[in-house]
Amino acid sequence: MARFLTLASCQTGPVQRSTSRREVVERLVALLERAALAGADLAVFPEMALTTFFPRWDLPASDIDVFYETQMPGPQTRPLFDAARKLGIGFALGYSELVRDGNRQRRFNAMALVDDGGEIIGRYRKIHVPGSEMPEPGTTVHLERRYFEPGNLGFPVYGFRGARIGLALCNDRRWPETYRMLCLNGAQVVLIGYNTPVQLEEAPSLAHLRMFHNHLPMQAGAYQNTVWVAAAAKAGFEDGQHLLGGSCIIAPSGEIAALATSQEDEVIIHRADLDMIDICRKVNFDFSRYRRPREYSLIAEQAGPLV
Ligand code: ING
C-alpha cells in the first residue's frame, strides 16, 4: 500500500441561481487543474457543487428539475471527467440526482467518486437529510426533506490508488455514526462536501459557534475513528444567503492539517500520511480489542431516547 495520498479540498465560492452549468464546470475544472499542479491524487468538491443551494427556497414542484442531474456524467459535466483523465487526478463531486425507478422519480443528494481515468468508481447518497418538508415558523427555511429522500446505499468504501475512501455530505458530518460506519467498513479517508448557512433563526444564541460546530464533529470523527477527513464547503454570499466556509483537511490525530482562508474558489492541499492511521490506532483505538459492540445494540435499534 502506498504510504502517502495527497488530498485536495476544492472549496467553491457561491454558485448563484443565474450561473450556467457551463460556467460552474469551468470553475471546477480550474480548481482541479490547480489541485493536480500542486500534486494532489484526489480532490473533493462541495455538496451540490453544480447549483445554488436551492433547499433555502419554497419552490413549486414544476421549478425544481433544473437543479438535478439525470446523467452523470452528462453533456455539461463531461469536461470535468475529461480533465480528471488528462490531469491524472481523482475527484468526488456532490450533486442533486434525479433517477427513474420504474415509473417513479426518485431524488437523492448524491456524491460520485471518480478515478484518475475519468470513470465513476463509487457512489454515495446522503443518509442524514436535515430540515423539513414545509417551512416552519421561526426556523431558517431548509427544505431538503422535500427535495430529497434519505440515501439507500449505506456507507460504502471504495479503493483508490491503494487507499480506502468513504464519502459523506454536509449534515452527515455532524453525526458520529457516519464516521463509525465508514471506519468499520475500512475507510482510511473520508471525503465530505457541505453547504452550511451561517444564520440560523432558531438558535441565535449559537450564532458565534457556527465554525466551531463545523470543525468540532469532523475533528472528533477523524480522531475517534483514526481516519483522514477532507471537507469542501460552498462558501460566501449565494443568492442572498451567507454560506460558511472553513474547508479543511484533518489528520487522524484530530489536528487540522490545512484550512481554507477565503470565502471563494480555493484549493487546499495536504500530503496525507496513511501510516498515521495505525500510529493513532495504537494509542487507544484498537477497535477489535477494545470495542464492546454487544453493549451498543441500542445504537442500531433506537433513533432517540425513549424518555
Ligand atoms: N446543511 C446543514 C448542515 O448541517 C441545516 C443543515 C442547516 C439543517 C440549517 C437545518 C438548518 O450544515 C446541509 N446541507 O445539510
Side-chain angles (χ1 to χ4, degrees), residues 47-48 53 109 126 128-131 139-142 144 169-174 193-197 199-200 202 210:
E47 175 193 43
M48 277 184 236
F53 188 69
N109 191 339
K126 185 176 182 177
H128 301 98
V129 180
T139 302
T140 297
V141 179
H142 191 97
E144 269 195 72
L169 287 165
C170 197
N171 194 257
D172 287 324
R173 79 192 185 288
R174 304 189 191 274
Y194 62 96
N195 284 261
T196 293
Q199 310 284 352
L200 273 192
E202 53 269 45
R210 294 302 278 161

Side-chain angles (χ1 to χ4, degrees), residues 168-246:
L169 287 165
C170 197
N171 194 257
D172 287 324
R173 79 192 185 288
R174 304 189 191 274
W175 298 92
E177 291 85 354
T178 302
Y179 308 89
R180 187 51 51 94
M181 288 300 295
L182 288 171
C183 169
L184 292 176
N185 277 329
Q188 298 168 300
V189 176
V190 177
L191 305 178
I192 303 175
Y194 62 96
N195 284 261
T196 293
V198 173
Q199 310 284 352
L200 273 192
E201 272 177 51
E202 53 269 45
S205 64
L206 302 178
H208 61 299
L209 299 173
R210 294 302 278 161
M211 191 57 85
F212 177 61
H213 289 164
N214 177 36
H215 289 146
L216 173 72
M218 293 197 285
Q219 289 181 260
Y223 169 67
Q224 293 173 330
N225 299 282
T226 59
V227 291
W228 282 91
V229 169
K234 176 130 62 65
F237 285 88
E238 184 179 87
D239 290 310
Q241 184 177 48
H242 190 189
L243 297 177
L244 192 74

Side-chain angles (χ1 to χ4, degrees), residues 47-173:
E47 175 193 43
M48 277 184 236
L50 299 168
T51 65
T52 192
F53 188 69
F54 66 95
R56 73 170 69 88
W57 294 312
D58 183 355
L59 297 168
S62 54
D63 283 4
I64 65 167
D65 280 358
V66 64
F67 299 113
Y68 294 79
E69 310 303 310
T70 52
Q71 268 180 288
M72 188 55 67
Q76 289 154 321
T77 43
R78 186 80 250 174
L80 195 54
F81 289 68
D82 294 342
R85 183 162 29 81
K86 199 177 86 204
L87 300 164
I89 184 173
F91 69 87
L93 177 73
Y95 64 99
S96 304
E97 179 187 21
L98 175 57
V99 283
R100 186 167 291 286
D101 183 1
N103 46 19
R104 195 158 75 102
Q105 287 192 326
R106 305 186 66 174
R107 295 167 195 274
F108 298 100
N109 191 339
M111 187 172 243
L113 179 65
V114 178
D115 71 7
D116 46 15
E119 299 295 329
I120 293 184
I121 56 165
R123 290 179 180 280
Y124 174 70
R125 289 171 172 164
K126 185 176 182 177
I127 301 264
H128 301 98
V129 180
S132 53
E133 280 86 21
M134 296 294 289
E136 291 174 357
T139 302
T140 297
V141 179
H142 191 97
L143 302 182
E144 269 195 72
R145 295 181 74 86
R146 181 198 296 178
Y147 301 132
F148 302 103
E149 62 179 291
N152 57 355
L153 301 177
F155 293 98
V157 167
Y158 302 100
F160 175 80
R161 292 197 178 163
R164 296 185 299 272
I165 316 293
L167 309 173
L169 287 165
C170 197
N171 194 257
D172 287 324
R173 79 192 185 288

